Amino acid sequence: AASRRAKMAAAEERVVGAAPAGYTALAVKFGERQRSPHCLLVKEHQVREGAGTTHPPRRTLFVLNVPPYCSPDSLSRLFARCGCVQSVDICEKPGEKKEKFTSKFFNCKTVTGFQVAYVVFRKPAGVQAAKALSQEGPLLISTESHPVKTGISKWIANYAASVVDQEELKAEVDAYMQDYDKKIAEEEAKAAKEEGVPDEEGWVKVTRKGRKPGLPRTEAANLRVLEREKRKRARKELLNFYAWQHRETKREHIAQLRKKFEEDKQRIALMRAQRKFRPY
């Protein structure tokens, strides 16, 4: 038993010490029964000066190798001992922009692998305190007071969450459509205000809302335009103006008459062949 504990301690030291340059390795465990720790790689998040971001520098901790079972609440609880945590954002890739509109019913992605996280503290001292956790023992993600659901309990919770509340869904859709209608109204008001107003170089932007709106570029509209052009050319074309046009017209007329005569002969022969005497 003593040798096993020594081997486990040595393994933990190797895991914690094997951190890439610039990162600090933090050992975490899912629960007390888990023997081998997992390694979180953390460092201070750095951005270019003047770049607008929801993750401010000096107060944001960048976390790599976040397991799928680790939720934002779990990370917030893990780093709460380092200082007041303002927000926790989990993304699939570094630098991924988080959508402003988060829906409970639509665009729900299933977590299938390890992710990255941005932990924002209220004070810069929280980042340094989080990096200093590498000197302590493995942190526990699932505890008695804050257990992480697994197995049948997780499946039951997922099934309960999959049952849609119609009233809540209707309220979310109505709110989204109100925001969409408001956005469209603002765009139309802006376009109407800028209609007919030349820009700095004197150019006037032509839109569909003007006196002569542009045609939509669809297949049906293109066919109508081609048919109109064909009729216009037919009206302008001079028929039977030259002698060769007279000859061509007569030749085409005679060819049509011969074709019709042959068709009539075949039809009459077929009718004679089908005519039979049927007394009964």
Side-chain angles (χ1 to χ4, degrees), residues 207-271:
T207 61
R208 295 184 181 182
K209 302 295 182 180
R211 297 178 181 178
K212 296 182 179 180
L215 292 175
R217 295 185 177 181
T218 59
E219 185 177 358
N222 294 336
L223 291 177
R224 286 196 297 269
V225 172
L226 293 176
E227 191 67 25
R228 194 182 302 115
E229 293 293 333
K230 186 177 180 180
R231 291 197 300 267
K232 187 183 296 184
R233 287 196 302 268
R235 288 195 301 268
K236 292 182 179 180
E237 186 178 1
L238 297 176
L239 300 178
N240 299 332
F241 184 76
Y242 298 99
W244 63 270
Q245 289 180 332
H246 282 281
R247 291 193 299 270
E248 292 290 338
T249 303
K250 289 181 180 180
R251 190 179 293 110
E252 291 178 1
H253 183 62
I254 293 172
Q256 291 178 1
L257 290 177
R258 287 177 178 174
K259 182 179 180 181
K260 186 177 180 182
F261 177 70
E262 294 295 334
E263 292 176 354
D264 292 342
K265 283 176 61 178
Q266 293 177 3
R267 185 165 57 252
I268 292 172
L270 181 62
M271 292 172 63

Side-chain angles (χ1 to χ4, degrees), residues 95-149:
E96 184 179 12
K97 293 184 179 180
K98 190 177 181 181
E99 297 181 359
K100 295 182 180 179
F101 178 76
T102 55
S103 174
K104 181 181 177 181
F105 306 99
F106 305 101
N107 298 329
C108 297
K109 296 182 179 179
T110 304
V111 179
T112 57
F114 288 82
Q115 303 175 98
V116 300
Y118 297 90
V119 182
V120 181
F121 292 92
R122 290 192 180 274
K123 297 182 179 180
V127 176
Q128 304 302 326
K131 294 169 64 177
L133 291 177
S134 60
Q135 306 299 328
E136 301 181 7
L139 306 176
L140 299 180
I141 296 178
S142 179
T143 59
E144 295 182 359
S145 58
H146 299 86
V148 176
K149 294 182 179 180

Side-chain angles (χ1 to χ4, degrees), residues 15 18-28 38-45 60-70 75 78-79 88-96 113-119 130-131 141:
V15 169
Y23 287 88
T24 303
L26 302 182
V28 295
H38 179 74
C39 184
L40 295 180
L41 302 178
V42 300
K43 73 171 185 177
E44 182 180 346
H45 180 56
T60 303
L61 184 71
F62 179 62
V63 186
L64 279 177
N65 206 23
V66 179
Y69 52 80
C70 192
L75 285 179
L78 285 178
F79 294 107
V88 177
D89 294 334
I90 297 181
C91 310
E92 292 185 2
K93 298 179 181 179
E96 184 179 12
F114 288 82
Q115 303 175 98
V116 300
Y118 297 90
V119 182
K131 294 169 64 177
I141 296 178

Side-chain angles (χ1 to χ4, degrees), residues 41 104 158 171 173 184 220:
L41 302 178
K104 181 181 177 181
N158 292 340
V173 173
I184 295 299

Side-chain angles (χ1 to χ4, degrees), residues 8 29-37 140-144:
M8 291 176 59
K29 287 184 178 181
F30 178 80
E32 294 181 356
R33 295 182 179 181
Q34 187 179 8
R35 295 182 178 180
S36 59
L140 299 180
I141 296 178
S142 179
T143 59
E144 295 182 359

